[in-house]
Amino acid sequence: AQSVTQPDIHITVSEGASLELRCNYSYGATPYLFWYVQSPGQGLQLLLKYFSGDTLVQGIKGFEAEFKRSQSSFNLRKPSVHWSDAAEYFCAVGTTDSWGKFQFGAGTQVVVTP
Amino acid sequence: SQTIHQWPATLVQPVGSPLSLECTVEGTSNPNLYWYRQAAGRGLQLLFYSVGIGQISSEVPQNLSASRPQDRQFILSSKKLLLSDSGFYLCAWRSTGVNEQFFGPGTRLTVL
């Protein structure tokens, strides 16, 4: 069974500073990896995904993530955060079978200060 | 384009009352459908998933049930709500052969 760990429950970052959110996964095969963002009281929006190929993937809103198989990690980064990036971020690993189930991490709450 | 709807958006129910949450998807056929619950301060827990009409798989034993009476309709139900059923319920869909899930806006359920 797959599992996902997001070690940081809460991160505070200054506007304009860089941001990195950590994600570690456990899965027996090549994983499908995702990052989603959730604004308060809203559903989840897909930021980016990794299936195969280039290990550095670009997403929406200026985010990128790097897949490192040796470290079982898929960390999310943004060079310069904006106040609108304050939200909760979820890493997920998807199965490669026909059911396509996801396992989500517990999430990282990002607070952006002026 | 595809869209996913959930209703109601918010719901306050007394303990012991029944529950019915609805999710519908437009613009696609034969989607995989998923119900998640998000408790305060926690991640998303997969409750049920369905790969076709009448086909429901449960991930965790609980006070809830799910049904899929039509191809693009997914319903989450309970006969008697518990306090622990409070949370944010999210429905998601996925096209067969496509690996990403798309989420609805969610339903906030408060059981008093």
Side-chain angles (χ1 to χ4, degrees), chain A residues 93-108:
Chain A
V93 58
T95 61
T96 55
D97 57 33
S98 60
W99 294 275
K101 295 185 293 182
F102 278 17
Q103 181 70 44
F104 281 87
T108 298

Side-chain angles (χ1 to χ4, degrees), chain A residues 18-46:
Chain A
S18 64
L19 175 69
E20 181 169 15
L21 305 182
R22 296 182 289 165
C23 173
N24 293 98
Y25 70 89
S26 173
Y27 188 59
T30 299
Y32 295 148
L33 296 164
F34 307 84
W35 275 100
Y36 284 85
V37 61
Q38 184 182 34
S39 297
Q42 303 297 313
L44 274 68
Q45 181 183 22
L46 180 68

Side-chain angles (χ1 to χ4, degrees), chain A residues 32 36 38 49 98-100, chain B residues 34 38 49 94 99-101:
Chain A
Y32 295 148
Y36 284 85
Q38 184 182 34
K49 58 192 177 187
S98 60
W99 294 275
Chain B
Y34 309 85
Q38 186 178 19
Y49 63 97
R94 182 188 80 117
N99 297 302
E100 59 195 83
Q101 292 183 19

